[in-house]
Amino acid sequence: MEGVDMKKKEQRIVVAVDESEESMYALSWCLSNLVSHTPDCKLVLLYVKPPPPVYSSIDAPGYLFSNDLIATLEKYGTDLVRSVMERAEAVYRNFSIDVERVVGSGEAKDVICNAVKQLEADTLVMGSHGYGFLKRAFLGSVSDYCAKNVKCPVVIVKNHDK
Amino acid sequence: MEGVDMKKKEQRIVVAVDESEESMYALSWCLSNLVSHTPDCKLVLLYVKPPPPVYSSIDAPGYLFSNDLIATLEKYGTDLVRSVMERAEAVYRNFSIDVERVVGSGEAKDVICNAVKQLEADTLVMGSHGYGFLKRAFLGSVSDYCAKNVKCPVVIVKNHDK
């Protein structure tokens, strides 16, 4: 058959998850359509935390942050990771599949593209609207960027009840 | 499990094919990763011919086309359809799958989006660079447009040797 690479045995599928319903639907689509019938398949759940804000009391004296506030924000970030991963687990727990969880930090589009490259992913699966409505409106969507910039096939999944 | 629609039994996968190697690789990826393990699956091969040019001897007297030239262009279009479908057949012939061939005419992005809607496709699979380099450079790619505008999951496949 034309063009199919048979060298690598294990299929490595990266699913980018975030707080959105859509990303959970993307995960369930992936499990039902890509993973469920493939025996040698590894699922990598990738969550990207936003980059840590820079707090400076010298440059912007109007924006002073107390240590308490910084600690609260950091805890919120950690809680968010746990919450997203727990929701993801509820989606994949009935599938017998090898799952790895990866948490990155930084600009989602860059972290996802780098992770796909480093992990030598065979497929990237993601929702179309993740990582912020406003950012999407002004800068284009993360999924657009990833579809253009990663080399493996990209599956873009929309919210199913739209 | 969260969010998976179990109502429809037959999976209908539309693969947009064109003259490119990439679209043939997208088809082979689809057969290996989406189709091969799904018993109730219909594959729709969609080829889009460009819209027929408008020949007017009244508005633009400098651009007169003879009937012979028009017939030659039309035959070229028909030959192209046959050639693409034959290449596609070489890719899918070893898979026991129900295949339907659909040929549309018009702007590729509009024809593909309309076909996906009318056929109630479950998944759209396409190459990332199809339907003309120059057009892509100025107007954005057909795959970008389709990924934004169809409601079902879209798989964008890159040429595997890039």
Side-chain angles (χ1 to χ4, degrees), chain B:
Chain B
M1 201 181 58
E2 190 169 353
V4 171
D5 184 2
M6 295 295 190
K7 277 178 287 180
K8 242 170 63 180
K9 214 181 159 205
E10 187 191 69
Q11 285 283 312
R12 202 166 298 160
I13 302 175
V14 172
V15 182
V17 289
D18 60 16
E19 299 78 22
S20 68
E21 270 295 317
E22 200 175 53
S23 83
M24 291 301 139
Y25 183 65
L27 173 61
S28 82
W29 184 91
C30 170
L31 289 160
S32 300
N33 291 278
L34 282 177
V35 166
S36 58
H37 306 285
T38 311
D40 288 302
C41 188
K42 183 174 195 170
L43 193 70
V44 181
L45 291 182
L46 174 62
Y47 177 79
V48 185
K49 292 196 290 188
V54 178
Y55 311 107
S56 166
S57 59
I58 298 166
D59 296 335
Y63 296 95
L64 285 170
F65 295 91
S66 72
N67 282 343
D68 280 356
L69 180 58
I70 294 170
T72 306
L73 286 171
E74 279 168 3
K75 188 182 174 309
Y76 174 72
T78 313
D79 288 348
L80 217 51
V81 176
R82 192 185 304 120
S83 153
V84 170
M85 289 300 184
E86 276 173 7
R87 285 188 63 205
E89 196 182 341
V91 178
Y92 71 73
R93 74 159 63 100
N94 292 328
F95 289 81
S96 101
I97 177 154
D98 185 13
V99 177
E100 185 182 337
R101 299 170 176 199
V102 174
V103 178
S105 176
E107 278 299 323
K109 59 187 176 62
D110 300 323
V111 176
I112 294 171
C113 290
N114 285 339
V116 163
K117 196 174 177 183
Q118 281 171 22
L119 294 162
E120 296 182 8
D122 295 284
T123 311
L124 168 65
V125 181
M126 60 194 308
S128 66
H129 285 80
Y131 297 102
F133 170 74
L134 272 180
K135 229 175 180 177
R136 176 185 164 81
F138 290 107
L139 301 174
S141 78
V142 174
S143 59
D144 283 356
Y145 182 89
C146 294
K148 280 194 189 71
N149 289 280
V150 305
K151 291 189 175 179
C152 67
V154 178
V155 187
I156 300 172
V157 182
K158 308 276 178 75
N159 211 336
H160 60 297
D161 54 4
K162 267 185 189 167

Side-chain angles (χ1 to χ4, degrees), chain A residues 82-101:
Chain A
R82 191 184 305 122
S83 153
V84 169
M85 289 301 183
E86 275 172 8
R87 286 187 63 203
E89 197 182 341
V91 178
Y92 72 72
R93 74 160 64 99
N94 292 328
F95 289 81
S96 101
I97 178 157
D98 185 12
V99 177
E100 185 183 337
R101 299 170 175 198

Side-chain angles (χ1 to χ4, degrees), chain A residues 9-61:
Chain A
K9 214 182 160 205
E10 186 192 69
Q11 284 284 313
R12 203 166 300 160
I13 302 176
V14 172
V15 182
V17 289
D18 60 15
E19 299 77 22
S20 67
E21 270 296 314
E22 201 175 52
S23 83
M24 292 300 139
Y25 184 65
L27 173 60
S28 80
W29 185 93
C30 170
L31 288 160
S32 299
N33 292 278
L34 283 177
V35 167
S36 59
H37 306 286
T38 311
D40 289 302
C41 188
K42 183 175 194 169
L43 192 70
V44 181
L45 292 182
L46 173 63
Y47 176 79
V48 186
K49 292 196 290 188
V54 178
Y55 309 106
S56 166
S57 59
I58 299 167
D59 295 336

